[in-house]
Amino acid sequence: MTNLDTTVLNDKSGNVPLEKTLNLVLSKIQDPKLLPPLPIAHLTSVGSFQKIIDGSFTLKPQFCKVFERDLLYFSYGGVFHRYGSKPIQKDENEATYLPIAFVFKPELIKKMACFYPYDTGAAHEDMYGDCYSKEMQNWDKYKVDNDGNFQLPSKIVYSFYETNKNYGNSQPVQEFNKEHELIMEPMQQLLKFLKARLQGVDHRKNAIECQTSKPISLNNKIYEYIMWIGCPRENVEQVYEMCEKINESLKSGHYPHIHGYDTEQNAIIPRELIYAHLQIPAKEYIKTYFLR
């Protein structure tokens, strides 16, 4: 039995009838095809990374204004960095400014408490428009509780995208397979939302969000789950030193792939530039091993 985080899992308002929750619907669907699970990624800031290496090599939950408690967020299948027309402000504590990304093996999914099949932050900020924002704020309706394994996100992907490749390209199915015909709610509403092209909404709309309220220590076997780290080029040496220290502590020889991206030290950087230097290389790395 895995050490599952139940703090988020047990946080239920009871406002949604159980039979109309995505959690229950997915539990009734038998997958004719089990998709290979994908890696999960965590995005942090340069300032937070400094605290990680100065402390106990631990990813710590931060206060979330959406759910009003401390949470640690991961994204399923890749690094999903919000970008847009506004420039990034110079704040080393903000993940949008010179972000650092960790990509973990799928085994870390076992530590997650729950999943949402979309970006809850965008829903909270009413970014999905009048047609969808209020509906997607029904957190209990669309939350999928983790049952201690790492297959649940694969079931979400199969149900709404059919293949990992389609999920990676944000291409939902046009209609459900026959095994979904008798399950209309809330599957149909969610599929309609995932297929919608909404103005001013970025690619994270279709990304599966993973949550836990527990810290994730990297100074144990979880360190060997780290596959890829993306960071500003000037932080590559720090990342390598972190890996050396953990390897020495664990008597391990594991070194993740470290990708350093170029930055302009004295300029306000457009978001799309960070997207090109961080998210795309992470996607290509994951694609090589998981999305073929």
Side-chain angles (χ1 to χ4, degrees):
M1 185 69 178
T2 186
N3 182 21
L4 178 65
D5 170 16
T6 58
T7 306
V8 180
L9 189 151
N10 290 330
D11 182 48
K12 298 178 181 291
S13 67
N15 294 327
V16 181
L18 184 61
E19 66 273 12
K20 292 189 176 182
T21 63
L22 182 63
N23 193 61
L24 185 65
V25 169
L26 288 175
S27 71
K28 292 183 176 182
I29 295 175
Q30 298 297 320
D31 292 345
K33 178 181 178 183
L34 190 61
L35 298 178
L38 299 175
I40 62 173
H42 175 70
L43 198 65
T44 190
S45 64
V46 169
S48 294
F49 178 72
Q50 190 64 51
K51 295 175 183 176
I52 292 170
I53 60 177
D54 288 344
S56 56
F57 304 117
T58 299
L59 305 179
K60 297 181 179 180
Q62 303 294 323
F63 182 76
C64 171
K65 64 181 181 180
V66 178
F67 296 96
E68 298 184 335
R69 58 182 178 272
D70 290 348
L71 289 173
L72 195 56
Y73 282 88
F74 293 78
S75 55
Y76 182 73
V79 176
F80 296 95
H81 178 268
R82 178 179 290 178
Y83 65 98
S85 58
K86 294 182 180 179
I88 297 173
Q89 301 302 315
K90 289 188 174 182
D91 184 349
E92 291 192 348
N93 292 313
E94 290 292 333
T96 51
Y97 175 71
L98 303 184
I100 294 177
F102 293 82
V103 176
F104 295 86
K105 292 180 180 178
E107 284 81 354
L108 191 62
I109 295 171
K110 295 179 181 180
K111 297 291 185 181
M112 300 297 107
C114 64
F115 313 97
Y116 284 91
Y118 55 90
D119 177 10
T120 59
H124 176 73
E125 295 172 10
D126 295 325
M127 293 177 64
Y128 297 146
D130 295 338
C131 290
Y132 296 107
S133 287
K134 295 303 180 185
E135 172 64 23
M136 307 322 292
Q137 289 171 17
N138 288 318
W139 310 130
D140 287 340
K141 184 175 181 179
Y142 293 107
K143 180 176 71 171
V144 179
D145 294 328
N146 196 2
D147 58 4
N149 63 48
F150 52 85
Q151 298 298 344
L152 268 176
S154 297
K155 182 176 280 193
I156 296 172
V157 170
Y158 179 78
S159 296
F160 292 96
Y161 300 90
E162 200 168 73
T163 68
N164 283 334
K165 184 177 180 180
N166 287 344
Y167 171 71
N169 293 325
S170 298
Q171 296 175 341
V173 297
Q174 292 305 303
E175 58 184 21
F176 287 125
N177 291 327
K178 290 183 178 180
E179 62 264 31
H180 297 114
E181 285 181 354
L182 299 178
I183 305 173
M184 305 300 291
E185 170 73 18
M187 302 285 285
Q188 292 289 353
Q189 281 184 301
L190 181 56
L191 179 60
K192 183 179 178 181
F193 164 73
L194 294 174
K195 291 194 299 183
R197 295 185 178 183
L198 305 178
Q199 186 175 5
V201 177
D202 61 39
H203 52 289
R204 295 195 308 170
K205 177 177 80 72
N206 289 56
I208 296 173
E209 182 179 284
C210 314
Q211 298 181 9
T212 178
S213 64
K214 291 188 175 181
I216 302 290
S217 173
L218 304 180
N219 198 18
N220 52 38
K221 68 177 183 179
I222 289 177
Y223 166 69
E224 297 190 353
Y225 292 169
I226 304 175
M227 305 171 61
W228 187 95
I229 300 176
C231 64
R233 196 170 298 279
E234 57 268 26
N235 293 100
V236 166
E237 186 174 344
Q238 279 185 307
V239 172
Y240 186 81
E241 289 176 355
M242 177 195 74
C243 294
E244 283 194 320
K245 289 179 181 178
I246 296 177
N247 275 328
E248 183 178 352
S249 172
L250 300 179
K251 295 181 171 53
S252 171
H254 173 69
Y255 284 92
H257 179 86
I258 301 174
H259 168 76
Y261 63 86
D262 292 321
T263 61
E264 300 175 41
Q265 288 298 302
N266 297 312
I268 294 181
I269 304 170
R271 294 176 188 267
E272 60 269 19
L273 184 60
I274 299 297
Y275 165 73
H277 287 336
L278 183 66
Q279 181 169 312
I280 292 178
K283 182 175 181 178
E284 289 303 312
Y285 179 85
I286 292 171
K287 183 179 179 180
T288 301
Y289 298 97
F290 292 90
L291 299 176
R292 291 180 292 181

